[in-house]
Amino acid sequence: MIKIGMLSAAHVHAYSYANILKKLENVEFIGLYDPDEERGKNFARALGINFVPFSEIEKCDVVVITSENRNHLKDVESLAGKVGAILCEKPLSTNADDAKKMVEICKEKGTVLGTAFPVRYTPTIKELKRKIDNGELGEIYMIAATNRGKMPPGWFLEKELSGGGAIMDHVVHVVDILRWLTGKEFKNVTTFRANQIHKDIEVEDTAVLMLELDGIPVSLDCSWNRPVSFPTWGDVTLRIVGTKEVLEVDVFNSAGFVYSNESERISNFYVSDDGDELMLKDFIDAYIEKRTPFTSGEDGLRATEVVEAAYKSLEKGGKVEIEMV
């Protein structure tokens, strides 16, 4: 039986992961450790799991890290070589150099490293991948994407811990799925940002990125622009314009709509599942099968490079080339 534990209750996704791990078969979920003892114990009590010492986390086969962004490198360094596999919450790090260190230390010490990109695991995105690979869209001309949401709480608004606001929080998901869907790398980015809604915070809440995905123009709205009364946390949407079809996908609604000149009727496909659960199951299977996880540490590094370039674009005030470290 695989022994699995969690490190930190800091991230909002920790609740979903813990609830899933509690019910997985053939997994011994030992509980959670948090250096913030009060936070960790409150989290464990609320979810009915154990609060364990760090020495128990070190004995696990698999560890899920859900700490503050700034602490990801430190946490990975503390576990690499001691545990078999680490699934780290996104973004992998707040900068590309630290993300590269995480990938390298895990490779050197024989620990599998994965990045928590659950959107890529959703059946809707996998169906979109099938359509693209089968040539159903033709040549892709352009992509308009969003990953918008409500403003997260607490440390997400502290630049020292988060590394940034909506750009740091939301860009990586779309970057990851578009890299995987197309097999292409992002080349450059121009970023526009503002504090339009929450004017008293030190990080950006509103941002739009204009990117080039190896010749394909991409727009991405990554803003925290959903009011607290909004019925869902946020969205991930794609509008992909091809020579044969235009395809629109709303991942959280698990629906895809196809517009084509072949018919006057709109066609659609609908598939639904929990991306978090699919991701955790696949990551555990990757550890057992000794294979690279579907969303690897390298994938996290590539997404971090795009985010870093997006912030450099703000500093420069124009287009910035995306460099691979």
Side-chain angles (χ1 to χ4, degrees), residues 123-136:
T124 306
I125 290 298
K126 289 189 174 181
E127 174 65 7
L128 177 53
K129 173 69 168 172
R130 185 195 66 77
K131 288 178 175 292
I132 291 174
D133 287 352
N134 285 349
E136 295 179 29

Side-chain angles (χ1 to χ4, degrees), residues 16 26 29 60 80 167 190 256 258 294-295:
S16 171
N26 302 318
F29 179 33
C60 287
I167 296 169
T190 304
V258 180
F294 186 39
T295 51

Side-chain angles (χ1 to χ4, degrees), residues 6 87 116 127 132 160 172 190 202 207 212 252 257 270 274 318:
M6 288 180 60
L87 178 63
E127 174 65 7
I132 291 174
E160 182 181 354
V172 291
T190 304
E202 62 176 297
E212 182 203 335
F252 286 1
F257 300 90
Y270 181 87
D274 185 336

Side-chain angles (χ1 to χ4, degrees), residues 60-64 83-87 110-114 283 287:
C60 287
D61 300 302
V62 175
V63 174
V64 180
V83 303
I86 298 170
L87 178 63
T111 294
V112 175
L113 178 63
F283 189 76
Y287 166 71

Side-chain angles (χ1 to χ4, degrees), residues 17 42 72 78 142 193 204 237 262:
Y17 300 161
N42 287 339
H72 289 176
S78 71
M142 64 169 292
R193 61 151 282 179
E204 75 283 352
T237 69
E262 299 299 316

Side-chain angles (χ1 to χ4, degrees), residues 6-180:
M6 288 180 60
L7 176 54
S8 181
H11 204 283
V12 292
H13 292 165
Y15 290 88
S16 171
Y17 300 161
N19 278 319
I20 292 165
L21 292 172
K22 282 167 55 178
K23 67 181 183 180
L24 288 186
E25 297 180 357
N26 302 318
V27 167
E28 180 189 355
F29 179 33
I30 68 162
L32 170 133
Y33 168 76
D34 195 324
D36 184 332
E37 188 170 322
E38 181 180 2
R39 178 178 65 189
K41 286 185 174 179
N42 287 339
F43 178 92
R45 190 179 305 111
L47 275 73
I49 63 175
N50 294 324
F51 182 80
V52 299
F54 184 72
S55 58
E56 290 300 310
I57 298 295
E58 293 178 302
K59 299 175 184 176
C60 287
D61 300 302
V62 175
V63 174
V64 180
I65 293 177
T66 42
S67 58
E68 300 89 345
N69 298 342
R70 187 194 67 175
N71 292 328
H72 289 176
L73 173 60
K74 171 179 66 68
D75 291 339
V76 166
E77 287 177 329
S78 71
L79 292 170
K82 298 175 183 176
V83 303
I86 298 170
L87 178 63
C88 185
E89 184 53 66
K90 64 80 196 167
L92 194 60
S93 185
T94 57
N95 63 83
D97 285 341
D98 283 358
K100 184 178 181 181
K101 289 177 185 176
M102 294 165 68
V103 171
E104 289 176 343
I105 191 173
C106 285
K107 188 175 296 184
E108 176 188 333
K109 298 196 173 184
T111 294
V112 175
L113 178 63
T115 309
F117 286 141
V119 178
R120 201 205 288 191
Y121 292 80
T122 59
T124 306
I125 290 298
K126 289 189 174 181
E127 174 65 7
L128 177 53
K129 173 69 168 172
R130 185 195 66 77
K131 288 178 175 292
I132 291 174
D133 287 352
N134 285 349
E136 295 179 29
L137 277 70
E139 182 183 351
I140 296 175
Y141 274 171
M142 64 169 292
I143 300 171
T146 70
N147 184 6
R148 301 163 295 195
K150 300 179 184 181
M151 183 180 73
W155 63 266
F156 285 89
L157 309 182
E158 301 175 31
K159 190 173 182 179
E160 182 181 354
L161 292 174
S162 65
I167 296 169
M168 184 67 67
D169 190 31
H170 277 176
V171 167
V172 291
H173 283 301
V174 173
V175 166
D176 178 68
I177 57 177
L178 291 182
R179 287 184 62 249
W180 180 65

